[in-house]
Amino acid sequence: VAINLIVEAGENIFTAPPYLARLAYPIYYADLIQSESDAQGLDPYLVTAMIRQESLFESFATSSAVAQGLAQVIPDTGAYIAQQVGDTGFENEDLFRPVVGVRYGAYYLSQQIDYFDGAIHAGLAAYNAGPGNAQYWYDSAGDDLDLFVETIGFDETELYVKRIYSGYTIYKHLYLGE
């Protein structure tokens, strides 16, 4: 609704009144996102943009690929992460709990970004399309963000990376003034 109002007013997210723009780009679960971002060495605005893209902050979201929760973690990946972080007794339904969804999403995103030596764009592509696909695209394009995005072989993943980068920029503008 806020986005529609901004557009109808002839504005964009960068020129709209900040209180209205923040309604379009809210930060829910800020305490969890901040804590888990700090724990994983991630920018909380990047994690926020990813969660917004993945679930629109709906903790009970489920995708057609059976990804679950705020960060849309697939149950098998959730079981892997639980093992890595020492969470015994993990059950798939745990992914719907915000504290688990944010923790596992931040952990997995950090793991993917680390795998690509800090290349956020490759880490995001790996989060969405798997590390094997991202590795292929990264090998073809390297650390050049624009070339990498053009190399992505899946339309969904290309849009995913673009939307999260856009959201990341918007969040930093709205909440940090950058």
Side-chain angles (χ1 to χ4, degrees), residues 1-177:
V1 175
I3 291 280
N4 293 340
L5 185 56
I6 290 168
V7 170
E8 288 179 24
E11 301 290 334
N12 65 52
I13 205 73
F14 297 102
T15 61
Y19 64 88
L20 186 57
R22 288 181 182 149
L23 288 174
Y25 283 83
I27 300 177
Y28 297 110
Y29 307 103
D31 55 339
L32 291 174
I33 291 171
Q34 184 68 57
S35 174
E36 294 304 328
S37 296
D38 288 348
Q40 298 303 325
L42 295 171
D43 186 325
Y45 296 105
L46 175 64
V47 176
T48 301
M50 184 204 54
I51 290 172
R52 182 181 189 276
Q53 176 61 34
E54 288 286 0
S55 67
L56 278 175
F57 301 101
E58 175 55 58
S59 65
F60 287 100
T62 302
S63 76
S64 59
V66 195
Q68 300 172 334
L70 290 170
Q72 291 293 279
V73 174
I74 294 172
D76 287 346
T77 303
Y80 162 78
I81 294 168
Q83 182 181 28
Q84 296 298 305
V85 300
D87 282 350
T88 58
F90 170 78
E91 297 181 15
N92 289 343
E93 303 82 52
D94 293 340
L95 294 171
F96 294 118
R97 296 175 47 222
V99 68
V100 174
V102 172
R103 181 178 187 206
Y104 284 24
Y107 176 88
Y108 194 65
L109 178 60
S110 175
Q111 190 177 54
Q112 300 311 306
I113 291 171
D114 287 349
Y115 179 80
F116 289 100
D117 297 322
I120 293 171
H121 55 287
L124 288 169
Y127 192 98
N128 180 261
N133 290 316
Q135 184 68 60
Y136 175 78
W137 302 322
Y138 192 74
D139 289 346
S140 298
D143 205 30
D144 182 322
L145 172 61
D146 294 328
L147 183 56
F148 179 83
V149 169
E150 295 303 317
T151 305
I152 293 173
F154 302 150
D155 291 341
E156 175 189 331
T157 303
E158 180 181 343
L159 187 58
Y160 178 86
V161 171
K162 287 178 178 179
R163 283 185 175 165
I164 292 176
Y165 259 94
S166 176
Y168 182 35
T169 300
I170 290 167
Y171 274 111
K172 289 192 326 183
H173 170 77
L174 293 176
Y175 293 92
L176 294 177

